[in-house]
Amino acid sequence: MSKKVVIFIDWENLRKEIEKIQKDKKCTHFNKNTLNYNNATHIMALIYSFIEKDDDLQKIFFYTAPPIDMDDNMCASVEIKPRIPQYAKDFLDSIVKQPYVASRLGISKFRGFDESGKPIFIQKQVDMLLGLDIAHVVYNKLADRILIFSKDIDLVPALKCARTQGVITILANIKEGFDMNSELMKHSDLIRTRSCENIVGYISNKMQELQK
């Protein structure tokens, strides 16, 4: 019997995990050509590689904060005024047009520059939005399972909420990515793991289908 599943994606957390893997010399096949995180089709294929046969997909919530251009006041201490690359804007526009995807946007805040002069941005409100949406889904019985792409310890209260309402909590785990925090494991029901090889194979098959 199929089970209704809602997917929650902390994009900044997942993006950093992909970056971490792609810098690992042991995972040369998991590169920017086989998985380009600015390519919405690649990211959707990664997400779908974690869906199993008895999952009845209801919705994919995609959490991020839109990037911001830096104004002249922010850039007073640097010679070049950084601008948001067009591909980053295009990705956000494209991902929300994918089937089942709904975006939830926090805000980006400028926090100065690092030692190399690179601007530092942080995301605000994303964790709160994610937690509120999980609570809404579980209290309104909109899912039998929730599948979460994030390894952020701040998720623990939301996981506890879901489990007390009888919803199965599943954490998506890329085998070669960040280690899974023990507290997250303690407060989840299942860990669903895929290797880089699994994911790249799924993406390759999906791209071949689209070219037919």
Side-chain angles (χ1 to χ4, degrees):
M1 181 182 296
S2 63
K3 300 292 185 180
K4 292 187 293 185
V5 62
V6 174
I7 298 175
F8 298 88
I9 300 167
D10 179 346
W11 173 236
E12 187 66 6
N13 193 278
L14 177 57
R15 185 187 64 79
K16 287 181 178 179
E17 184 164 36
I18 294 170
E19 281 189 332
K20 180 262 185 190
I21 298 170
Q22 291 182 337
K23 290 177 181 178
D24 188 342
K25 294 181 180 179
K26 297 178 183 178
C27 301
T28 55
H29 60 290
F30 195 82
N31 54 54
K32 294 181 180 180
N33 292 320
T34 57
L35 199 166
N36 178 355
Y37 60 67
N38 289 306
N39 184 318
T41 302
H42 283 195
I43 295 306
M44 292 303 296
L46 182 153
I47 295 165
Y48 272 79
S49 72
F50 281 83
I51 297 176
E52 299 189 345
K53 290 182 179 180
D54 63 342
D55 288 331
D56 179 12
L57 179 60
Q58 303 295 301
K59 186 70 69 177
I60 300 171
F61 289 111
F62 191 90
Y63 298 83
T64 189
I68 56 176
D69 284 323
M70 296 178 62
D71 61 28
D72 293 326
N73 292 327
M74 292 178 183
C75 298
S77 61
V78 293
E79 295 181 0
I80 299 174
K81 183 175 180 180
R83 287 294 180 188
I84 303 304
Q86 186 61 42
Y87 60 75
K89 297 178 180 179
D90 291 343
F91 171 75
L92 291 179
D93 288 340
S94 181
I95 198 73
V96 297
K97 296 175 183 177
Q98 304 300 312
Y100 299 101
V101 174
S103 65
R104 294 288 186 266
L105 300 180
I107 57 176
S108 295
K109 291 286 187 178
F110 172 63
R111 285 293 182 264
F113 300 92
D114 63 17
E115 295 179 354
S116 64
K118 183 178 179 180
I120 301 170
F121 297 97
I122 62 171
Q123 293 189 350
K124 305 290 288 184
Q125 301 180 356
V126 171
D127 291 340
M128 179 185 68
L129 291 171
L130 200 159
L132 287 172
D133 282 346
I134 288 177
H136 175 79
V137 166
V138 301
Y139 280 120
N140 287 282
K141 310 297 182 184
L142 302 178
D144 303 302
R145 303 168 175 168
I146 57 173
L147 174 62
I148 301 173
F149 286 79
S150 179
K151 294 179 178 176
D152 190 335
I153 191 66
D154 290 341
L155 279 173
V156 166
L159 293 176
K160 289 181 178 180
C161 172
R163 296 180 83 193
T164 59
Q165 295 300 309
V167 174
I168 300 297
T169 60
I170 307 169
L171 298 179
N173 179 47
I174 302 177
K175 184 179 179 181
E176 296 85 353
F178 296 133
D179 291 335
M180 188 68 71
N181 184 280
S182 60
E183 283 298 302
L184 286 178
M185 295 174 67
K186 185 188 302 182
H187 296 291
S188 63
D189 294 301
L190 298 169
I191 309 295
R192 192 173 286 181
T193 300
R194 299 290 185 268
S195 69
C196 289
E197 184 178 358
N198 295 148
I199 295 169
V200 169
Y202 194 95
I203 293 172
S204 177
N205 290 336
K206 179 58 66 175
M207 298 305 292
Q208 289 177 17
E209 290 177 10
L210 293 173
Q211 291 172 3
K212 292 181 179 179

